[in-house]
Amino acid sequence: MQTKILLIYTGGTIGMAKDYGDQSLKPFNFDNLLKQIPELGLLDCSFDYHSFDTPIDSSDMKPKYWINIADTIQQNYENYDGFVVLHGTDTMAYTASALSFMIDNLEKPVIFTGSQLPIGDLRTDAKENLITSIQLASLRKKDKPIIKEVCVYFEYKLFRANRTTKINAENFDAFESPNYPVIGVSGVHLEVKEDLLLKNTVTEKLAINKKLNADVGVLKIFPGMNRSFIESVLKAPNMKAFIIEAFGTGNIFTDDWFIELLEEVTNKGIHLIINTQCAGGMVELGRYATSDALLKMGAISSFDLTMEAAITKAIYLLGQNLSKDEFKAQYEANLKGELRHHFYND
Ligand code: ASP
């Protein structure tokens, strides 16, 4: 039987065409998709599409739109075998990571893709990205989907969504998964590395968690940073969590005033999360004396989370109204394949 795929179009370069009047890129009517990519008619699956009423540049993405996408998946879940979300590349890693946390009991593929050049452009990367994403969403074994998680497909590579980060504003090869291997490759064969996929044993119906709270602050530190700037950030009203982008394995400068400010933060019940500025590797609090104070004040380690996953995980968990201890336990746990506590060779 032919698989049925739902394309969810949110906006981004992939669906834009050049306005030859003012030369700017504008979202085009998605009805024209088949005309732009006649190859879609050759696919061994059928598909429908659902478009945002007003497609957006992904720089305008917000949690309320994450909920829209999740709702669309939930409402159409029984009628389709897989979902392909067309999204701008700029914040794709955030939306895809957020969706991975928000959706529970997923047994079908949700593949995010986009492009660096619009679909109508002669040298576009949109066609390959879209066609292969639909094929990946259609893959089945013993009449069951092979992929049962949220992924990003871009430029011949399939990634776990909550491991991705956009690393290039210009190259077609724009995404990377610094701490988890690529889970599929499109070459002569479409190869999915099944041993690296999430293995969900699902006993309950698909559920979407729509309670989100974005009262999260991010502070990237650098040598010689201005004290009053840090004070104003860490004393900002109504914050529920701060993520410190620390050095290396989670190290910070040890000036008394900075440590005292961080203690004040945790004493107020604000969650203090430590991430690293390094693209690869992980936070290990207490490895160096320069993170001892963080360990003592009970700071939360983000281990090897990408910044996108660190932020969206905080937004998701803040919405669940957890106690301080539960929040830390959940944050440091591996919920959806987003985090490891040790590297493979440890
Ligand atoms: N600014 C665009 C967006 O993220 C870039 C892209 O789609 O590649 O929506």
Side-chain angles (χ1 to χ4, degrees):
M1 224 183 45
Q2 262 202 343
T3 47
K4 269 181 85 182
I5 305 300
L6 183 67
L7 303 182
I8 302 170
Y9 174 53
T10 69
T13 300
I14 189 161
M16 293 183 180
K18 196 171 259 171
D19 178 323
Y20 286 99
D22 66 6
Q23 297 293 307
S24 68
L25 288 174
K26 303 220 166 89
F28 76 66
N29 181 349
F30 211 64
D31 287 322
N32 286 337
L33 184 77
L34 257 177
K35 287 189 206 131
Q36 297 281 342
I37 318 186
E39 297 90 329
L40 287 176
L42 301 173
L43 285 168
D44 188 24
C45 66
S46 65
F47 60 87
D48 298 316
Y49 75 84
H50 171 96
S51 173
F52 270 21
D53 292 339
T54 311
I56 55 168
D57 186 298
S58 78
S59 309
D60 279 321
M61 262 294 157
K62 311 226 168 356
K64 68 173 182 186
Y65 297 128
W66 303 344
I67 294 173
N68 286 352
I69 300 169
D71 270 342
T72 306
I73 293 171
Q74 188 173 39
Q75 282 155 18
N76 292 283
Y77 193 66
E78 298 308 328
N79 297 329
Y80 292 91
D81 300 299
F83 301 85
V84 173
V85 184
L86 303 178
H87 193 289
T89 57
D90 288 347
T91 65
M92 190 189 298
Y94 289 91
T95 306
S97 297
L99 268 277
S100 79
F101 297 122
M102 291 162 66
I103 304 178
D104 282 329
N105 310 319
L106 184 64
E107 281 190 294
K108 297 182 180 180
V110 175
I111 316 271
F112 275 75
T113 197
S115 68
Q116 294 281 62
L117 281 176
I119 215 153
D121 198 287
L122 204 53
R123 291 191 308 107
T124 188
D125 52 333
K127 290 189 183 186
E128 200 284 321
N129 286 346
L130 177 55
I131 290 170
T132 307
S133 293
I134 296 175
Q135 287 187 319
L136 286 163
S138 306
L139 288 179
R140 294 174 82 79
K141 199 174 179 177
K142 295 192 186 141
D143 211 29
K144 294 235 155 63
I146 294 180
I147 300 165
K148 300 172 193 171
E149 60 178 292
V150 186
C151 300
V152 167
Y153 176 76
F154 217 85
E155 187 67 2
Y156 305 111
K157 288 182 222 139
L158 181 70
F159 306 99
R160 172 164 303 153
N162 54 34
R163 293 295 196 154
T164 57
T165 189
K166 183 175 178 183
I167 44 120
N168 202 299
E170 194 184 327
N171 290 353
F172 287 157
D173 204 0
F175 285 85
E176 206 170 68
S177 166
N179 284 325
Y180 196 74
V182 166
I183 57 178
V185 178
S186 167
V188 172
H189 301 287
L190 199 51
E191 186 198 352
V192 175
K193 303 181 194 235
E194 289 183 51
D195 53 318
L196 294 173
L197 298 178
L198 274 187
K199 290 165 195 63
N200 303 333
T201 9
V202 171
T203 49
E204 285 168 57
K205 263 183 81 179
L206 181 94
I208 307 287
N209 208 317
K210 298 180 195 171
K211 288 192 223 108
L212 304 170
N213 183 337
D215 294 334
V216 179
V218 176
L219 179 70
K220 180 172 190 159
I221 58 166
F222 62 85
M225 204 168 175
N226 180 291
R227 175 175 173 173
S228 59
F229 173 79
I230 296 183
E231 276 171 357
S232 65
V233 169
L234 295 182
K235 287 178 191 275
N238 303 323
M239 300 309 292
K240 306 281 184 305
F242 281 113
I243 302 177
I244 308 292
E245 250 197 292
F247 308 125
T249 51
N251 305 312
I252 55 169
F253 36 81
T254 53
D255 305 57
D256 289 344
W257 61 265
F258 187 42
I259 305 290
E260 278 157 25
L261 265 173
L262 294 174
E263 273 166 357
E264 246 175 67
V265 162
T266 55
N267 290 342
K268 277 196 252 171
I270 299 171
H271 307 291
L272 181 67
I273 299 161
I274 310 301
N275 204 324
T276 173
Q277 301 178 7
C278 300
M282 69 169 66
V283 171
E284 285 179 80
L285 297 182
R287 182 178 174 116
Y288 290 90
T290 42
S291 65
D292 271 353
L294 294 171
L295 199 59
K296 279 196 202 106
M297 65 181 91
I300 299 167
S301 169
S302 74
F303 293 96
D304 65 345
L305 289 182
T306 60
M307 203 57 198
E308 291 86 340
I311 292 170
T312 53
K313 190 172 186 176
I315 293 175
Y316 160 72
L317 286 178
L318 280 179
Q320 314 315 304
N321 258 326
L322 304 169
S323 70
K324 201 172 177 191
D325 288 349
E326 280 167 346
F327 184 97
K328 180 173 161 70
Q330 289 280 305
Y331 198 93
E332 292 187 340
N334 177 19
L335 303 180
K336 297 286 168 59
E338 75 281 8
L339 159 160
R340 262 173 192 266
H341 299 106
H342 304 284
F343 280 108
Y344 298 106
N345 47 3
D346 278 5

